[in-house]
Amino acid sequence: MALGVEASQHGWSECRVELPAPESWLVLDLAVDQPMPWARTAAEDHVGADASVDRRDAFADEVLWYWGAAIRQRAICAALLAPADGPVLASYLVREVTVSQELLCLEALRREVELAEGPFFGSPSISEVDLPVGSAVRVHRMEPSAPESAEGEVIEGVAHYVLPRPHPVVLEARLLWSSIGLGAELATVADALAESIRLV
């Protein structure tokens, strides 16, 4: 199963991402005009019509929150990893990041990532990878979800900052999760998702 949307402003018509285990993923419709009815239908489809009304409503509200976050970040495409019998485990999105012309090379992009200010927990793991869509800086780190609050949680994530050939932009492809015990498994999923990105 793939998720994709039109993204023609830089010469490609669509961004495609192959989702592993598609029955556990919910693709967010970022073009919908009425997100509330869409979220309710998506929740019923995802958790099943036999689920309780409270369960469907809670999942719809969760989906709406992630939908709003993706819209605010001007995501090209976005999806949620959400088994039917549980809450959202992780969120994935691909978006364009506006950078100066000087950062459109891997060395400069890595320096910029290394200089990013936290707060982070521990030292981020930063490496360079070659993806089918282009070279990328891979960042694996943990950070607080609400740095100013004592009630926040720890968010872990893997982001790939990609220089897609031959387009003069940076794509951020990021998987985030709060279930720290799943870190190793979800980091592998993030890498597989990044490997699957295609601009067509």
Side-chain angles (χ1 to χ4, degrees), residues 19-148:
L19 297 173
E23 67 276 2
S24 295
W25 288 85
L26 173 63
V27 176
L28 302 185
D29 186 349
L30 302 180
V32 70
D33 292 327
Q34 299 293 327
M36 177 66 79
W38 169 81
R40 293 192 182 283
T41 299
E44 183 172 324
D45 291 344
H46 193 75
V47 303
D50 293 337
S52 69
V53 173
D54 287 348
R55 169 76 180 114
R56 293 199 303 270
D57 287 349
F59 190 78
D61 289 344
E62 195 171 17
V63 167
L64 275 175
W65 187 90
Y66 283 103
W67 183 91
I71 291 295
R72 288 191 296 274
Q73 295 177 72
R74 303 183 67 180
I76 296 172
C77 53
L80 304 176
L81 176 58
D85 59 349
V88 172
L89 291 181
S91 63
Y92 189 71
L93 65 79
V94 179
R95 66 175 183 143
E96 290 183 26
V97 179
T98 302
V99 299
S100 64
Q101 190 71 24
E102 293 75 19
L103 292 181
L104 294 177
C105 73
L106 199 62
E107 182 180 352
L109 187 58
R110 176 167 184 155
R111 279 199 308 270
E112 185 74 4
V113 170
E114 290 173 339
L115 292 173
E117 296 184 0
F120 303 129
F121 295 115
S123 299
S125 172
I126 301 174
S127 58
E128 297 174 13
V129 295
D130 191 25
L131 302 173
V133 76
S135 299
V137 177
R138 179 189 186 274
V139 186
H140 185 176
R141 62 189 173 208
M142 292 189 287
E143 57 194 283
S145 63
E148 306 302 323

